[in-house]
Amino acid sequence: MVFNNREYIYADDDNSRYLLSNSIKKHIVKKYKKYSDVVVFCIGTDRATGDSLGPLVGTKLTKMGVNNVIGTIDRPVHAINIEEKINHLYNYYNNPLVLAVDACLGIYNHIGSMSVWAGSLSPGAGISKKLRAVGDISITGIVNKWSTNGIVQLQSTRLSIVMNMSEIIADSIYDALIKKDIWP
């Protein structure tokens, strides 16, 4: 489904891994030659179920043997340390292509869907925080509906939605990068 010039891939679609992986590949092919490193930057915290999507993806990728991952359950990237982690990213890696992964809130019909686009994402936007944008390619999972009280929405998100999407996103990133020999 396409909405606001973004393709939404639903986690309950039997082809979701294939569709998401292909979408990631398309964006990488357009940008890859300009960069020296590929880094997955996973944003979120395990202190709110809905916000744990990014760290779960980072943890799964690390367990798969992927090295260039920032943001895991044990070492999350969250509102308090994101500026430090972004600075580390650009100081440590040489000209990185950054795949930013984060949970987000959206319209009810998009809950359980994932989206990929070229460009950065704005962490914390769903809870009215103004944090530094990050990413050359962004991947989000819509974990719950947007409301004026986004914190409550993130805290009351069903864990099954987050776990399912984190597995699909991690598998899709792995397929798009590792299997295609793009990853260093």
Side-chain angles (χ1 to χ4, degrees), residues 6-118:
R6 290 189 187 166
E7 180 181 5
Y8 290 85
I9 299 161
Y10 286 85
D12 61 1
D13 184 325
D14 291 340
N15 295 314
S16 60
R17 282 172 172 76
Y18 171 80
L19 294 169
L20 187 60
S21 177
N22 280 346
S23 184
I24 294 167
K25 287 175 199 173
K26 281 189 269 183
H27 289 290
I28 289 172
V29 166
K30 292 177 186 174
K31 292 182 166 271
Y32 183 67
K33 292 178 182 168
K34 299 177 189 175
Y35 299 93
S36 302
D37 293 311
V38 178
V39 179
V40 182
F41 195 82
C42 302
I43 304 161
T45 178
D46 63 349
R47 293 183 181 237
T49 306
D51 203 27
S52 64
L53 179 72
L56 285 169
V57 170
T59 298
K60 290 174 188 305
L61 287 170
T62 301
K63 287 181 179 181
M64 293 171 153
V66 176
N67 294 321
N68 295 350
V69 176
I70 298 173
T72 64
I73 289 293
D74 292 330
R75 290 185 171 82
V77 173
H78 46 67
I80 295 168
N81 70 1
I82 193 165
E83 192 65 34
E84 169 193 335
K85 297 292 186 175
I86 291 172
N87 290 337
H88 168 77
L89 166 70
Y90 291 108
N91 289 331
Y92 184 79
Y93 294 97
N94 178 32
N95 192 30
L97 172 64
V98 180
L99 275 68
V101 180
D102 198 5
C104 72
L105 301 172
I107 65 173
Y108 181 79
N109 291 342
H110 289 170
I111 295 173
S113 69
M114 299 154 294
S115 185
V116 179
W117 70 92

Side-chain angles (χ1 to χ4, degrees), residues 139-157:
I139 304 166
T140 59
I142 299 176
V143 297
N144 211 333
K145 67 179 181 169
W146 183 89
S147 79
T148 55
N149 195 347
I151 295 281
V152 171
Q153 292 301 103
L154 288 172
Q155 291 173 338
S156 65
T157 297

